[in-house]
Structure formats: C-alpha cells, structure tokens
Amino acid sequence: MTKNENAQTTARTTTRTTTTLGSTGPSVFPLGLGCMGMSALYGEADRAESLATIHAALDAGITLLDTGDFYGMGHNELLINEALRTAPAAAREQALTSVKFGALRTVEGGFTGYDGRPAAVRNFLAYSLQRLGRDHIDIYRIARVDPDVPIEETVGAIAEAVQAGHVRHIGLSEVGADTMRRAAAVAPISDLQIEYSLISRGIEQEILPTARELGIGITAYGVLSRGLISGHFTRDRSLAPGDFRGMSPRFQGDNLDRNLDLVEALRKVAEDKGVSVAQTAIAWVLAQGPRQGVDLVPLVGARRRDRLAEALGAMDITFSAADLAAIEEAVPAGAAAGERYPEAQMAHLDSEH
C-alpha cells in the first residue's frame, strides 16, 4: 500500500501538538475542557474534584478552558479563577479562556432570552473580566444570537473590545451559515462553537463547508451528547434535581431506549478496538477535522479526573477505513431519537433555522 493510499484509508485522531483555530485564532491543545458541568445543569458537583480536574487538564497540556458567564450565575468563572490562581505559573500562563455571554436569567435559574446589544456586550465583558481575574478573554462569543439585534452589531462591539485589548479573538456559537458569513464580514472570526457528535451531525451539510470556506475553526461541544453516548449512562439511572437531562428529549422514555441501543452497537465496535465507548465517540469527532477539512477541537465536559483521563486516551486512537465504516453502521447519521434541546430552547438556535 502506498503512502497516499494509506492516508486515504486510515484516520488518526490527532497528535499531541496543537491545533490553530481557523486562520486567525489561537493555537490550542487538540482537546479543550468544557467547564459548565462543574457549576450548572448536571446537578451537584464536587468543588475540590472540579479544581483538581482543571489542574489535571492543565498538567496534561490542555490549554482551552470553556465557560459561560451564566454557568451557575458566574460561579463557573470564579471557579476557573481559583483554579488558575492555584495552578503552577507555567500552566496558568498557557491557559486560554473561551467565554460565552448574553443569556438572561431569573432568580430561579430560568432563561428568558439573550441580549446582544453593544452596551450589553460591554457590560457582560466587564463582569467576566472581574470574575476571571484576568485583563483579557482569549475568545469571546454570544451564546445564542439575539433575534432583536443584528449579528453585525454584536460582533462589532466585540471587535471594539479586541481593539481595546480586553478580548483577543471573536467567536460564534450555534449560528447557521448565513449568520457566519455576516459575522465574518465585520471582523475575523476564530471559531464557531457548536454541538457535534456521532448523534448530532446536522452541521455537516452546510455549516462545516461554510466554516472551511471562511477559515473559521470549530470547537465542538456535546461530543458525548451530555453523557448519553459515553457508555456510562444506563436506562435506570436517576438524575439529580436540576439536571438538564431530565428535560432533554433524547433522555426521555422510548427516545432514551432507542439511543442507548445505538450506544450498545457502538460498544461492540469499541470493544473490538480495545477502547471505551467514550473514547471511540471522542476519537470519531477528532478524526472529522482532517476528514472535513476544518480546524476542529472537541470540548470534553469532564468533571472528574478519571473521566478526563479517559477522554485524553481518545487522542491515541487510529481508525482504519473499516473501523470508520463500522462506526457509521453502528450509529448512522440521523439515527438519534429526539431533539438535542427542548422545543423552547431549539427556537433559540440560529444553527437550526
């Protein structure tokens, strides 16, 4: 077999170097750490273990820490602040923060919409910088497009913060191809943060090609679909109060049964490779960057050091053409049962319109 033929039939997830997010973004470790679950939406988290997990991620070389100012009403940013303050200086200096803003909350924790007005952008940014204890944010993005404010105005306000030195790069979150083009016409965009996994593949049709055309990277969240395809979620699992998955359509009734059947099919592929289900799912996303021609960095939402170690193991997996075909057969595109968010939240996704 020639070198070219081998390149066509084998997909190695990555090497432990760095990935540059798009044509203008920062260079980051090939995996990022999504910190949301340490503060919100998955029930109680162990603070000490969360801090230890962030430290372990930094020690392993992970540089990108992803958060949102509304995760735990600012708790997550304060947690990252503490983790960075107590980390070795070298790790702290290498750490990059990716922050989402714009979500409007109630005292009870509900979501009431998004605010992308320039004045709001400046306000959200000031609070995030204070909570994080940093003089700049590396990538700043509105969590969802404000339907009442043109994306050009929101991105323009972030661009002003870049000029002022408070932000290094502009990102997007859950936007469709048209919005991506409009935003990129205003200022350089480093990356689009969007859900992408074996059971959430809608972005392959139009969004990924547009990102490739515009030189925009992808930071993929939900690569394990909130634990659904991790191999650790069971049909009889009881969710803690406040766990977002209790309202997620994919975790409900017959949908859950059908989706876990997909996981069992994937488990057979993983066992043949001698790796875990979670590692197979993460490695598949990692492999899509080269296959799709985009700079793609999965965000793993590990809340514990053992889950982090499992995720890092995905980086050493090599898929043959036969492996990829077996994965596709086990979990075909569009096979998931149920939407990825409840109906009210799906309405906020520009990427789905």
Side-chain angles (χ1 to χ4, degrees):
M1 179 178 288
T2 68
K3 184 183 292 186
N4 288 340
E5 288 171 336
N6 187 63
Q8 291 173 353
T9 58
T10 303
R12 181 174 294 278
T13 57
T14 186
T15 56
R16 292 177 187 251
T17 54
T18 59
T19 299
T20 300
L21 287 175
S23 58
T24 64
S27 292
V28 299
F29 191 79
L31 286 179
L33 183 65
C35 300
M36 180 189 74
M38 298 176 181
S39 299
L41 299 180
Y42 292 122
E44 290 292 327
D46 183 321
R47 183 181 186 85
E49 182 62 23
S50 295
L51 291 169
T53 300
I54 295 174
H55 287 159
L58 295 171
D59 185 61
I62 287 177
T63 52
L64 188 64
L65 303 179
D66 183 77
T67 185
D69 63 9
F70 50 94
Y71 293 166
M73 310 294 201
H75 176 277
N76 206 236
E77 291 178 318
L78 292 170
L79 184 76
I80 290 173
N81 180 333
E82 182 177 353
L84 292 177
R85 281 190 290 105
T86 54
R92 182 168 61 250
E93 291 168 4
Q94 293 296 316
L96 303 176
T97 52
S98 168
V99 179
K100 291 178 290 297
F101 70 90
L104 303 176
R105 307 293 301 271
T106 66
V107 172
E108 296 76 22
F111 289 85
T112 60
Y114 296 88
D115 192 343
R117 295 172 302 154
V121 174
R122 292 186 286 270
N123 180 75
F124 288 128
L125 176 60
Y127 279 92
S128 283
L129 289 170
Q130 178 69 26
R131 284 189 291 260
L132 288 166
R134 295 169 78 87
D135 63 5
H136 71 275
I137 289 169
D138 295 285
I139 310 176
Y140 202 50
R141 69 188 90 235
I142 191 166
R144 300 289 187 269
V145 174
D146 181 344
D148 298 323
V149 178
I151 192 65
E152 291 86 351
E153 294 185 15
T154 302
V155 168
I158 305 175
E160 290 177 1
V162 172
Q163 290 295 317
H166 303 313
V167 171
R168 294 282 170 83
H169 303 279
I170 304 171
L172 297 170
S173 175
E174 285 290 354
V175 305
D178 179 64
T179 302
M180 207 185 323
R181 292 183 189 280
R182 290 168 52 200
V186 175
I189 304 297
S190 66
D191 67 302
L192 165 65
Q193 188 171 122
I194 196 162
E195 185 166 353
Y196 188 39
S197 72
L198 271 167
I199 64 171
S200 295
R201 296 178 58 179
I203 69 172
E204 294 175 349
Q205 302 305 311
E206 187 177 10
I207 292 174
L208 280 184
T210 302
R212 181 172 62 242
E213 174 192 340
L214 297 174
I216 294 173
I218 299 290
T219 42
Y221 75 90
V223 293
L224 295 179
S225 196
R226 298 163 185 82
L228 180 59
I229 60 172
S230 67
H232 302 300
F233 202 94
T234 60
R235 287 175 168 83
D236 60 353
R237 179 171 174 175
S238 297
L239 296 174
D243 192 317
F244 160 83
R245 293 169 293 189
M247 300 182 294
S248 174
R250 288 184 175 172
F251 287 83
Q252 307 302 312
D254 291 341
N255 286 348
L256 178 61
D257 289 336
R258 290 168 58 191
N259 291 329
L260 289 181
D261 285 343
L262 296 175
V263 175
E264 291 312 303
L266 185 62
R267 192 185 304 276
K268 295 177 182 177
V269 179
E271 289 175 348
D272 287 343
K273 291 283 294 179
V275 297
S276 73
V277 175
Q279 288 171 331
T280 302
I282 295 168
W284 181 88
V285 176
L286 274 165
Q288 301 316 300
R291 295 182 77 203
Q292 300 285 348
V294 296
D295 303 313
L296 190 155
V297 174
L299 301 172
V300 294
R303 299 198 296 171
R304 299 180 349 215
R305 283 167 286 180
D306 58 338
R307 295 289 192 247
L308 173 66
E310 181 180 32
L312 287 166
M315 297 177 60
D316 297 320
I317 297 174
T318 300
F319 289 135
S320 67
D323 292 332
L324 292 170
I327 292 171
E328 294 279 350
E329 182 178 358
V331 188
E339 297 285 0
R340 54 195 181 103
Y341 285 103
E343 184 177 354
Q345 294 184 34
M346 288 294 291
H348 290 294
L349 297 178
D350 180 80
S351 55
E352 296 286 341
H353 299 159

